[in-house]
Each structure stands twice: as structure tokens, then as C-alpha cells.
Amino acid sequence: SIVLKTLTDITKYPHYVERLKELLGMNKETQEYTIADATSELFMPTEDFNEYLNLLKTKKNIVLQGPPGVGKTFVSKRLAYCLLGEKDDSKVKMIQFHQSYSYEDFIQGFRPTKDGFELTNGVFYNLCSQAERDPDSKYVLVIDEINRGNLSKIFGELLMLIESDKRGQKLSLTYSPDSNFSVPKNLFLIGTMNTADRSIAMVDYALRRRFSFISLSPQFNDKYKQYLVAAGFKSKFCDQIINGLNALNNEIKSDKNNLGDGYQIGHSYFCPDGS
């Protein structure tokens, strides 16, 4: 047997140790994850979370949108775990779009090497291949800041294949015209988007009709108060925080000319552990 702790302590290459553990199947530590587990970590009502999870199962592509700090990324990971039924990060991949992100990064493209150029597969291509080899399991790709990328350019011809009723259909790729590629039915997409971000206008209609958009809002409610009290804050002080922030957010929402719903202050900024 391998003494993992000793290897970790003495080697100058800890990433190699992690890769070695993965190849030997020693990194496979998962635990069951239920809706009750998810909602115990969230301030939203259980019925809302159930609705979002069912939408993900049927539509296969959703976008969580809302002001900064409402826990969009946090919620997306909980939705992914519940969809899988276990907390298995090997089946949940997370990336972030930005203005320089391209089709070549996401799907496939040529990359320079010391001998010239080599055709290299991107993160989405690799995850689709992994999901296709394991049809009995579900896989989730979380795309943070999905509206910051040039979406039509990044998805390219696969914009059609991500539709739930087009899953499994074959299509040739830009850099591989002689081979067929498909998006498997067991792969799900979750995007996140800040509604305060002006680049939201870049989300074109072609993508909007392929994703279901879910709006999240600040949750300064009773569950949030219970969380603060459990963290050691006095009940009266919690009431002051909640009443003050709700009043401030109401002012922000009412200012339709300069601010509005998308500029509210999220609850995650006022969570002691930073979650």
C-alpha cells in the first residue's frame, strides 16, 4: 500500500501525488447529498429549490441571475450535487467566461507547441466525452459569469446541440469536419449572471431561448436570522441588520432610473463564514 501522507509531506510535487491517487482510484471520496442537505445550507424556501432542481432536470440548461452576493455560485453547486445525488466534484466542473474566452478554449482548437501546432480539446469537449463514456451518471458544467463571454462565438455550432431535445444528435466540428460530435443527455449546464453587470445585454436571444433563467434575490429572512443567532449574534442585533438591509434594498429597488432590482445588496456579504 502507498503511504499517502508521507508522500504528500516529502514530495516537491503535490499535484503529482493527487494525480497518482486519482489514477489509482484512491481519490474517489463521495457522500450522499439530498435536498434536505442543500436547503440546510441555503436561506431560500425548500419549494423554491425544488422548483429550480426540477427545471434543471427537464430543461438541462439554466442560468441563475441576480444581484452580486445572493449566492448564485453557491446555489449552483448545491443544485449540481442534488442532481447527482452525491457530493462528487469529479463530475462537477466549474469555469468562468471572460472577454478573451474563445471557442478554442471551450470546444477545440489548435495550440502552439515546440514543433508547430497541435489540435487540442477544450473543457466542454472533454466533459462531453467523459459523460458519454459514463452514461449512467450525471455531469454538470457550471459557467460563472456566463454573460461576460461572446456566447455565440464560444458555443459556435454547438449552440443548437445543447437544447434538451437535440441532445445526442451528431454534428461535425469546425476543426474536426470529418468526425461527428454530440452533447450527451446526461450533461447539464448551469450559468450564473450578475444582473448589475451591463454586459448582460450581450446575452442574445439565441441563448436565452435555450436556457431557463432563474432570478435569485437577497434572503434577509427568518432562516438568515437563525443562521446569525447560531453564529453567536444577539437576536436584537440580527433584527437591526435584517430590517436595515431590507429597507436599504427597498430604496435601491425603487430607484428605477439609476439602480433597480439588480443592484440590491446580497446576503452573502453578511455571512460570518463568508459563504
Side-chain angles (χ1 to χ4, degrees):
S1 62
I2 298 176
V3 185
L4 295 175
K5 187 61 182 174
T6 303
L7 272 175
T8 305
D9 287 344
I10 67 173
T11 184
K12 295 180 180 179
Y13 309 103
H15 295 297
Y16 170 75
V17 175
E18 290 302 316
R19 179 61 178 154
L20 182 63
K21 288 163 63 180
E22 182 179 335
L23 291 173
L24 292 173
M26 304 176 77
N27 238 1
K28 193 71 175 177
E29 294 183 6
T30 62
Q31 61 185 87
E32 185 182 5
Y33 196 83
T34 65
I35 292 175
D37 294 324
T39 53
S40 69
E41 299 180 294
L42 301 171
F43 304 133
M44 69 172 61
T46 302
E47 53 269 24
D48 288 353
F49 186 85
N50 274 326
E51 181 184 343
Y52 305 156
L53 183 59
N54 288 331
L55 195 57
L56 176 61
K57 290 177 180 178
T58 55
K59 187 72 173 181
K60 295 187 183 295
N61 312 312
I62 64 171
V63 170
L64 302 179
Q65 61 180 357
V70 295
K72 297 181 290 295
T73 304
F74 193 80
V75 173
S76 66
K77 293 292 287 287
R78 271 70 206 159
L79 285 169
Y81 293 149
C82 279
L83 183 71
L84 270 58
E86 59 183 358
K87 219 171 185 178
D88 186 354
D89 285 321
S90 68
K91 296 175 182 175
V92 180
K93 180 72 175 178
M94 189 167 196
I95 59 173
Q96 187 177 62
F97 279 178
H98 50 78
Q99 292 178 343
S100 300
Y101 206 85
S102 67
Y103 176 94
E104 288 74 16
D105 298 312
F106 194 59
I107 310 295
Q108 194 178 65
F110 285 98
R111 295 293 181 192
T113 66
K114 63 179 180 179
D115 299 318
F117 289 87
E118 183 178 276
L119 186 61
T120 305
N121 296 326
V123 60
F124 187 67
Y125 185 103
N126 289 332
L127 192 60
C128 285
S129 299
Q130 185 180 356
E132 197 168 26
R133 293 192 301 267
D134 186 16
D136 295 329
S137 299
K138 295 182 176 68
Y139 289 79
V140 181
L141 177 63
V142 179
I143 307 173
D144 203 29
E145 306 280 4
I146 191 172
N147 55 305
R148 285 191 171 274
N150 185 331
L151 300 173
S152 297
K153 180 181 178 182
I154 292 172
F155 278 92
E157 63 272 12
L158 296 187
L159 199 58
M160 178 186 73
L161 295 187
I162 65 173
E163 295 182 37
S164 58
D165 60 344
K166 301 291 194 306
R167 297 298 181 92
Q169 293 188 18
K170 300 287 185 179
L171 192 70
S172 61
L173 299 178
T174 300
Y175 293 98
S176 303
D178 297 328
S179 61
N180 291 322
F181 179 80
S182 65
V183 179
K185 296 180 181 180
N186 58 328
L187 177 63
F188 299 78
L189 300 178
I190 304 177
T192 71
M193 176 191 302
N194 282 331
T195 47
D197 195 336
R198 296 301 184 187
S199 61
I200 191 173
M202 296 173 62
V203 182
D204 58 24
Y205 177 72
L207 194 77
R208 284 191 173 275
R209 69 186 182 87
R210 290 174 171 88
F211 282 75
S212 288
F213 283 72
I214 297 169
S215 294
L216 302 183
S217 59
Q219 299 291 324
F220 295 109
N221 51 24
D222 289 338
K223 286 186 72 175
Y224 176 76
K225 179 180 178 179
Q226 293 170 13
Y227 168 79
L228 290 183
V229 170
F233 293 89
K234 294 185 181 300
S235 178
K236 185 177 180 181
F237 180 62
C238 296
D239 289 334
Q240 291 176 335
I241 293 176
I242 292 171
N243 293 335
L245 288 169
N246 280 331
L248 178 58
N249 278 337
N250 286 333
E251 286 291 323
I252 293 172
K253 286 193 294 183
S254 64
D255 186 356
K256 301 297 183 182
N257 293 326
N258 301 305
L259 299 173
D261 290 353
Y263 290 85
Q264 295 181 80
I265 298 173
H267 53 266
S268 66
Y269 294 120
F270 301 91
C271 293
D273 64 355
S275 62

